[in-house]
Amino acid sequence: MLDIVLTSTLNGVLYGMLLFLLASGLTVIFSMMGVLNFAHASFYMLGAFFGFELSLYLGYWPGLLIAPVLVGCIGMAVERYGLRRVHRHGHVAELLFTFGLTFVIQEFVEIVWGTLPMNYQVPRLLDFSAFTLFSLHYPAFKLFELFGSAAVFIALALVVKFSRIGLVVQAALGHPGMVAMLGHDVDRVFMLVFGVGCGLAAVAGVIAGPALVTQSNMAELLGPILFVVVVFGGLGSLTGAFAASLIIGLAQTFAVASNASLAASFGPLHAAGPMAALLGDIWNVSVAQLAPILPYLLLVLVLVLRPRGLMGARES
Protein backbone atom coordinates (compact mmCIF):
# COMPACT_ATOMS: atom_id res chain seq x y z
CA MET A 1 0.00 0.00 0.00
CA LEU A 2 2.81 2.43 0.85
CA ASP A 3 4.45 2.02 -2.55
CA ILE A 4 1.13 2.74 -4.30
CA VAL A 5 0.56 5.88 -2.21
CA LEU A 6 4.07 7.26 -2.75
CA THR A 7 4.15 6.40 -6.44
CA SER A 8 0.70 7.86 -7.08
CA THR A 9 1.60 11.01 -5.16
CA LEU A 10 4.74 11.58 -7.19
CA ASN A 11 2.99 10.86 -10.49
CA GLY A 12 0.08 13.10 -9.49
CA VAL A 13 2.38 16.02 -8.65
CA LEU A 14 4.26 15.59 -11.93
CA TYR A 15 1.03 15.48 -13.94
CA GLY A 16 -0.40 18.41 -12.01
CA MET A 17 2.69 20.54 -12.63
CA LEU A 18 2.45 19.75 -16.35
CA LEU A 19 -1.18 20.88 -16.31
CA PHE A 20 -0.16 24.10 -14.56
CA LEU A 21 2.62 24.78 -17.04
CA LEU A 22 0.01 24.57 -19.79
CA ALA A 23 -2.66 26.53 -17.89
CA SER A 24 -0.32 29.32 -16.76
CA GLY A 25 -0.27 31.01 -20.16
CA LEU A 26 -4.06 30.95 -20.46
CA THR A 27 -4.37 32.32 -16.92
CA VAL A 28 -1.95 35.16 -17.68
CA ILE A 29 -3.88 36.09 -20.84
CA PHE A 30 -7.23 36.09 -19.06
CA SER A 31 -6.08 37.85 -15.90
CA MET A 32 -4.44 40.68 -17.86
CA MET A 33 -6.68 40.91 -20.94
CA GLY A 34 -9.99 39.31 -20.00
CA VAL A 35 -9.76 37.02 -23.07
CA LEU A 36 -10.51 33.30 -22.72
CA ASN A 37 -8.38 31.86 -25.52
CA PHE A 38 -9.92 28.64 -26.86
CA ALA A 39 -6.90 28.15 -29.13
CA HIS A 40 -4.44 28.01 -26.24
CA ALA A 41 -4.00 24.22 -26.42
CA SER A 42 -3.30 24.59 -30.14
CA PHE A 43 -0.36 26.89 -29.38
CA TYR A 44 0.82 24.18 -26.99
CA MET A 45 0.71 21.72 -29.88
CA LEU A 46 2.57 24.15 -32.13
CA GLY A 47 5.30 24.43 -29.49
CA ALA A 48 5.70 20.66 -29.41
CA PHE A 49 5.95 20.34 -33.19
CA PHE A 50 8.26 23.35 -33.57
CA GLY A 51 10.46 21.94 -30.80
CA PHE A 52 10.51 18.55 -32.50
CA GLU A 53 11.49 20.03 -35.86
CA LEU A 54 14.21 22.19 -34.33
CA SER A 55 15.56 19.25 -32.34
CA LEU A 56 16.26 17.39 -35.58
CA TYR A 57 18.72 20.07 -36.70
CA LEU A 58 19.83 21.97 -33.58
CA GLY A 59 19.13 19.63 -30.68
CA TYR A 60 16.57 19.69 -27.87
CA TRP A 61 17.88 22.64 -25.85
CA PRO A 62 18.01 25.20 -28.70
CA GLY A 63 14.49 24.03 -29.59
CA LEU A 64 13.36 24.69 -26.03
CA LEU A 65 14.52 28.29 -26.38
CA ILE A 66 13.57 29.03 -29.98
CA ALA A 67 10.18 27.28 -30.29
CA PRO A 68 8.45 29.38 -27.58
CA VAL A 69 9.80 32.56 -29.19
CA LEU A 70 8.44 31.54 -32.60
CA VAL A 71 5.04 30.59 -31.15
CA GLY A 72 5.00 33.81 -29.10
CA CYS A 73 5.58 35.82 -32.29
CA ILE A 74 2.71 33.96 -33.97
CA GLY A 75 0.56 34.75 -30.94
CA MET A 76 1.41 38.45 -31.17
CA ALA A 77 0.52 38.45 -34.87
CA VAL A 78 -2.80 36.75 -34.07
CA GLU A 79 -3.58 39.40 -31.45
CA ARG A 80 -2.46 42.31 -33.64
CA TYR A 81 -4.18 41.37 -36.89
CA GLY A 82 -7.06 39.20 -35.69
CA LEU A 83 -8.08 39.33 -32.06
CA ARG A 84 -7.70 43.10 -31.78
CA ARG A 85 -10.12 43.61 -34.67
CA VAL A 86 -12.84 41.40 -33.16
CA HIS A 87 -12.29 42.67 -29.60
CA ARG A 88 -14.59 45.64 -30.20
CA HIS A 89 -17.46 43.25 -30.90
CA GLY A 90 -17.36 41.68 -27.42
CA HIS A 91 -16.43 38.39 -25.79
CA VAL A 92 -18.64 36.23 -28.03
CA ALA A 93 -16.71 37.34 -31.11
CA GLU A 94 -13.42 36.64 -29.30
CA LEU A 95 -14.52 33.14 -28.35
CA LEU A 96 -15.69 32.36 -31.89
CA PHE A 97 -12.44 33.71 -33.35
CA THR A 98 -10.19 31.63 -31.07
CA PHE A 99 -12.45 28.59 -31.50
CA GLY A 100 -12.07 28.79 -35.27
CA LEU A 101 -8.33 29.30 -34.88
CA THR A 102 -8.02 25.86 -33.27
CA PHE A 103 -9.17 24.19 -36.49
CA VAL A 104 -6.86 26.33 -38.61
CA ILE A 105 -3.83 25.37 -36.50
CA GLN A 106 -4.77 21.68 -36.43
CA GLU A 107 -5.19 21.57 -40.21
CA PHE A 108 -1.83 23.32 -40.61
CA VAL A 109 -0.13 20.76 -38.37
CA GLU A 110 -1.70 17.83 -40.22
CA ILE A 111 -0.68 19.27 -43.61
CA VAL A 112 2.94 19.82 -42.56
CA TRP A 113 3.59 16.87 -40.21
CA GLY A 114 0.74 14.46 -40.91
CA THR A 115 -1.33 12.56 -38.36
CA LEU A 116 1.18 9.96 -37.21
CA PRO A 117 3.06 10.42 -33.89
CA MET A 118 6.48 12.06 -34.08
CA ASN A 119 9.61 10.42 -32.69
CA TYR A 120 10.40 13.25 -30.27
CA GLN A 121 13.40 12.08 -28.24
CA VAL A 122 14.29 12.96 -24.65
CA PRO A 123 17.58 14.94 -24.56
CA ARG A 124 20.61 12.79 -23.82
CA LEU A 125 21.55 14.99 -20.88
CA LEU A 126 18.39 13.90 -19.05
CA ASP A 127 18.01 10.39 -20.47
CA PHE A 128 18.76 8.46 -17.29
CA SER A 129 17.05 7.28 -14.12
CA ALA A 130 17.15 9.94 -11.40
CA PHE A 131 16.22 7.57 -8.57
CA THR A 132 14.45 4.29 -7.86
CA LEU A 133 11.31 4.06 -5.73
CA PHE A 134 9.98 0.58 -4.91
CA SER A 135 11.66 -0.91 -8.00
CA LEU A 136 10.17 1.86 -10.17
CA HIS A 137 12.76 3.95 -12.01
CA TYR A 138 11.92 7.65 -12.37
CA PRO A 139 13.45 9.41 -15.40
CA ALA A 140 15.41 12.58 -14.80
CA PHE A 141 13.37 14.25 -17.55
CA LYS A 142 10.23 14.03 -15.41
CA LEU A 143 12.00 15.83 -12.60
CA PHE A 144 13.02 18.46 -15.13
CA GLU A 145 9.31 18.90 -15.93
CA LEU A 146 8.54 19.28 -12.23
CA PHE A 147 11.22 21.86 -11.44
CA GLY A 148 10.68 23.69 -14.72
CA SER A 149 6.97 24.12 -13.96
CA ALA A 150 7.73 25.30 -10.42
CA ALA A 151 10.22 27.84 -11.78
CA VAL A 152 7.60 29.18 -14.21
CA PHE A 153 5.07 29.58 -11.37
CA ILE A 154 7.52 31.49 -9.18
CA ALA A 155 8.69 33.71 -12.04
CA LEU A 156 5.15 34.56 -13.16
CA ALA A 157 4.00 35.30 -9.61
CA LEU A 158 6.93 37.67 -9.07
CA VAL A 159 6.47 39.43 -12.40
CA VAL A 160 2.72 39.89 -12.03
CA LYS A 161 2.77 41.03 -8.41
CA PHE A 162 5.99 42.99 -8.00
CA SER A 163 7.46 44.07 -11.33
CA ARG A 164 6.79 47.36 -13.09
CA ILE A 165 5.66 45.49 -16.19
CA GLY A 166 3.08 43.53 -14.20
CA LEU A 167 1.72 46.70 -12.59
CA VAL A 168 1.43 48.44 -15.96
CA VAL A 169 -0.40 45.49 -17.50
CA GLN A 170 -2.84 45.13 -14.61
CA ALA A 171 -3.51 48.88 -14.68
CA ALA A 172 -4.05 48.74 -18.44
CA LEU A 173 -6.75 46.11 -17.96
CA GLY A 174 -8.82 48.22 -15.55
CA HIS A 175 -7.96 51.76 -16.69
CA PRO A 176 -6.55 51.67 -20.23
CA GLY A 177 -7.23 55.36 -20.84
CA MET A 178 -5.26 56.46 -17.80
CA VAL A 179 -2.37 54.15 -18.66
CA ALA A 180 -2.29 55.56 -22.20
CA MET A 181 -2.19 59.11 -20.80
CA LEU A 182 0.88 58.15 -18.76
CA GLY A 183 2.71 57.36 -21.99
CA HIS A 184 2.25 53.59 -22.32
CA ASP A 185 1.11 51.96 -25.56
CA VAL A 186 -1.83 49.89 -24.29
CA ASP A 187 -2.31 47.99 -27.55
CA ARG A 188 1.34 46.99 -27.58
CA VAL A 189 1.12 45.88 -23.94
CA PHE A 190 -1.82 43.60 -24.69
CA MET A 191 -0.08 42.22 -27.79
CA LEU A 192 3.01 41.36 -25.74
CA VAL A 193 0.88 39.74 -23.01
CA PHE A 194 -0.90 37.55 -25.54
CA GLY A 195 2.42 36.60 -27.10
CA VAL A 196 3.91 35.70 -23.71
CA GLY A 197 0.88 33.56 -22.89
CA CYS A 198 1.19 31.67 -26.18
CA GLY A 199 4.93 31.31 -25.58
CA LEU A 200 4.27 29.73 -22.19
CA ALA A 201 1.95 27.23 -23.88
CA ALA A 202 4.77 26.44 -26.29
CA VAL A 203 7.17 25.87 -23.38
CA ALA A 204 4.71 23.29 -22.05
CA GLY A 205 4.59 21.70 -25.50
CA VAL A 206 8.37 21.42 -25.82
CA ILE A 207 8.71 19.98 -22.31
CA ALA A 208 5.77 17.58 -22.64
CA GLY A 209 6.51 16.57 -26.23
CA PRO A 210 9.15 13.90 -25.48
CA ALA A 211 7.27 12.67 -22.39
CA LEU A 212 3.85 12.44 -24.04
CA VAL A 213 2.89 11.62 -27.61
CA THR A 214 3.56 14.43 -30.10
CA GLN A 215 0.82 14.15 -32.68
CA SER A 216 -1.87 16.25 -34.34
CA ASN A 217 -4.60 15.48 -31.78
CA MET A 218 -2.57 16.36 -28.67
CA ALA A 219 -4.43 19.66 -28.32
CA GLU A 220 -7.74 17.79 -28.19
CA LEU A 221 -6.45 15.48 -25.44
CA LEU A 222 -5.38 18.21 -22.98
CA GLY A 223 -7.50 21.14 -24.14
CA PRO A 224 -10.70 20.28 -22.21
CA ILE A 225 -8.79 19.54 -18.98
CA LEU A 226 -6.97 22.85 -19.41
CA PHE A 227 -10.21 24.78 -19.14
CA VAL A 228 -11.29 22.65 -16.20
CA VAL A 229 -8.10 23.71 -14.41
CA VAL A 230 -8.56 27.41 -15.18
CA VAL A 231 -12.24 27.52 -14.19
CA PHE A 232 -11.76 25.24 -11.17
CA GLY A 233 -8.94 27.40 -9.83
CA GLY A 234 -10.76 30.64 -10.57
CA LEU A 235 -10.62 32.63 -13.79
CA GLY A 236 -7.57 34.89 -13.77
CA SER A 237 -5.99 33.47 -10.61
CA LEU A 238 -2.48 32.13 -11.10
CA THR A 239 -2.40 30.68 -7.57
CA GLY A 240 -5.80 29.11 -8.12
CA ALA A 241 -4.62 27.47 -11.35
CA PHE A 242 -1.60 26.10 -9.51
CA ALA A 243 -3.77 24.62 -6.73
CA ALA A 244 -6.35 23.25 -9.17
CA SER A 245 -3.63 21.61 -11.28
CA LEU A 246 -2.24 19.76 -8.27
CA ILE A 247 -5.69 18.72 -7.03
CA ILE A 248 -6.76 17.38 -10.43
CA GLY A 249 -3.41 15.70 -11.05
CA LEU A 250 -3.44 13.92 -7.70
CA ALA A 251 -7.13 13.00 -7.90
CA GLN A 252 -6.81 11.45 -11.36
CA THR A 253 -3.61 9.60 -10.54
CA PHE A 254 -4.98 8.08 -7.35
CA ALA A 255 -8.21 7.18 -9.15
CA VAL A 256 -6.31 5.35 -11.91
CA ALA A 257 -4.41 3.35 -9.28
CA SER A 258 -7.58 2.26 -7.48
CA ASN A 259 -9.68 -0.80 -8.35
CA ALA A 260 -12.33 -0.04 -5.74
CA SER A 261 -15.97 -0.43 -6.74
CA LEU A 262 -19.35 -0.94 -5.11
CA ALA A 263 -19.16 -4.61 -6.02
CA ALA A 264 -15.74 -4.98 -4.39
CA SER A 265 -16.90 -3.20 -1.24
CA PHE A 266 -20.39 -4.69 -0.77
CA GLY A 267 -20.34 -7.87 -2.83
CA PRO A 268 -22.31 -8.85 -5.94
CA LEU A 269 -25.60 -7.11 -6.63
CA HIS A 270 -28.59 -9.42 -6.51
CA ALA A 271 -31.15 -7.52 -8.53
CA ALA A 272 -34.05 -8.75 -10.60
CA GLY A 273 -36.26 -7.19 -13.20
CA PRO A 274 -35.67 -4.99 -16.27
CA MET A 275 -33.26 -2.68 -14.37
CA ALA A 276 -31.00 -5.51 -13.27
CA ALA A 277 -28.56 -5.21 -16.19
CA LEU A 278 -28.21 -1.42 -15.84
CA LEU A 279 -27.78 -1.54 -12.08
CA GLY A 280 -25.30 -4.40 -12.44
CA ASP A 281 -23.11 -2.35 -14.80
CA ILE A 282 -23.11 0.63 -12.45
CA TRP A 283 -22.45 -1.61 -9.46
CA ASN A 284 -19.32 -3.05 -11.09
CA VAL A 285 -17.80 0.22 -12.33
CA SER A 286 -14.41 0.79 -10.70
CA VAL A 287 -12.88 4.07 -9.60
CA ALA A 288 -10.19 3.64 -12.27
CA GLN A 289 -12.89 3.60 -14.95
CA LEU A 290 -14.27 6.89 -13.60
CA ALA A 291 -10.84 8.58 -13.64
CA PRO A 292 -11.28 10.25 -17.08
CA ILE A 293 -14.47 12.07 -15.99
CA LEU A 294 -13.24 12.89 -12.48
CA PRO A 295 -11.92 16.38 -13.39
CA TYR A 296 -15.30 17.30 -14.87
CA LEU A 297 -17.12 16.03 -11.79
CA LEU A 298 -14.84 18.20 -9.65
CA LEU A 299 -15.58 21.16 -11.93
CA VAL A 300 -19.33 20.72 -11.55
CA LEU A 301 -18.93 20.42 -7.78
CA VAL A 302 -16.85 23.56 -7.39
CA LEU A 303 -19.16 25.56 -9.67
CA VAL A 304 -22.16 24.53 -7.56
CA LEU A 305 -20.47 25.31 -4.25
CA ARG A 306 -18.25 28.22 -5.33
CA PRO A 307 -19.10 29.56 -8.81
CA ARG A 308 -16.04 31.85 -8.93
CA GLY A 309 -13.67 28.91 -8.46
CA LEU A 310 -11.24 28.26 -5.67
CA MET A 311 -9.48 31.64 -5.81
CA GLY A 312 -11.34 33.50 -8.54
CA ALA A 313 -11.06 37.28 -8.51
CA ARG A 314 -13.22 38.08 -11.53
CA GLU A 315 -16.97 37.84 -11.91
CA SER A 316 -16.82 36.61 -15.50
Side-chain angles (χ1 to χ4, degrees):
M1 178 60 70
L2 180 60
D3 61 335
I4 295 177
V5 171
L6 291 178
T7 303
S8 298
T9 300
L10 184 56
N11 288 334
V13 171
L14 289 171
Y15 179 54
M17 293 304 292
L18 176 61
L19 288 179
F20 169 75
L21 188 59
L22 179 56
S24 60
L26 181 59
T27 302
V28 167
I29 291 174
F30 185 85
S31 63
M32 296 184 181
M33 298 179 62
V35 176
L36 195 57
N37 180 18
F38 271 127
H40 193 74
S42 298
F43 288 107
Y44 152 79
M45 179 173 64
L46 274 183
F49 276 95
F50 283 2
F52 163 74
E53 195 68 27
L54 290 168
S55 69
L56 297 179
Y57 303 98
L58 303 176
Y60 177 82
W61 300 108
L64 179 60
L65 297 176
I66 299 174
V69 175
L70 294 177
V71 175
C73 291
I74 294 174
M76 287 191 290
V78 167
E79 196 283 332
R80 172 63 181 84
Y81 299 105
L83 195 58
R84 187 179 302 180
R85 297 178 182 272
V86 303
H87 179 70
R88 64 176 67 97
H89 300 295
H91 292 303
V92 174
E94 293 173 346
L95 293 177
L96 292 175
F97 174 80
T98 57
F99 183 70
L101 187 60
T102 60
F103 296 98
V104 173
I105 294 176
Q106 181 167 349
E107 290 298 326
F108 169 77
V109 168
E110 291 182 353
I111 290 172
V112 176
W113 287 282
T115 59
L116 296 178
M118 300 294 104
N119 187 24
Y120 200 171
Q121 297 291 331
V122 172
R124 293 183 180 179
L125 183 63
L126 298 176
D127 192 12
F128 63 93
S129 177
F131 60 89
T132 302
L133 181 65
F134 295 106
S135 72
L136 183 63
H137 301 285
Y138 269 87
F141 189 76
K142 285 193 174 183
L143 294 184
F144 169 69
E145 293 179 27
L146 174 62
F147 292 118
S149 302
V152 169
F153 170 68
I154 295 172
L156 285 177
L158 292 176
V159 169
V160 171
K161 295 295 183 182
F162 301 108
S163 72
R164 178 181 176 84
I165 296 176
L167 294 177
V168 169
V169 172
Q170 292 184 75
L173 176 60
H175 307 282
M178 182 63 68
V179 173
M181 292 179 64
L182 292 175
H184 299 285
D185 190 336
V186 176
D187 289 337
R188 180 176 296 178
V189 169
F190 284 168
M191 181 179 68
L192 291 174
V193 168
F194 195 85
V196 169
C198 294
L200 288 173
V203 172
V206 178
I207 291 179
L212 304 177
V213 179
T214 301
Q215 58 186 16
S216 59
N217 68 339
M218 60 190 302
E220 300 175 7
L221 297 177
L222 281 183
I225 298 181
L226 165 65
F227 285 95
V228 171
V229 170
V230 174
V231 176
F232 185 12
L235 289 173
S237 172
L238 194 63
T239 307
F242 181 77
S245 299
L246 290 179
I247 291 173
I248 291 175
L250 289 169
Q252 264 200 304
T253 305
F254 272 96
V256 169
S258 174
N259 290 322
S261 65
L262 294 175
S265 300
F266 302 102
L269 177 65
H270 302 287
M275 296 297 292
L278 176 60
L279 293 176
D281 291 338
I282 296 176
W283 194 259
N284 290 289
V285 170
S286 66
V287 175
Q289 292 174 297
L290 295 176
I293 67 171
L294 189 58
Y296 308 101
L297 294 177
L298 291 174
L299 176 63
V300 171
L301 181 63
V302 77
L303 288 177
V304 170
L305 300 178
R306 187 177 174 84
R308 294 172 64 184
L310 294 178
M311 303 178 187
R314 293 177 62 91
E315 295 294 338
S316 60

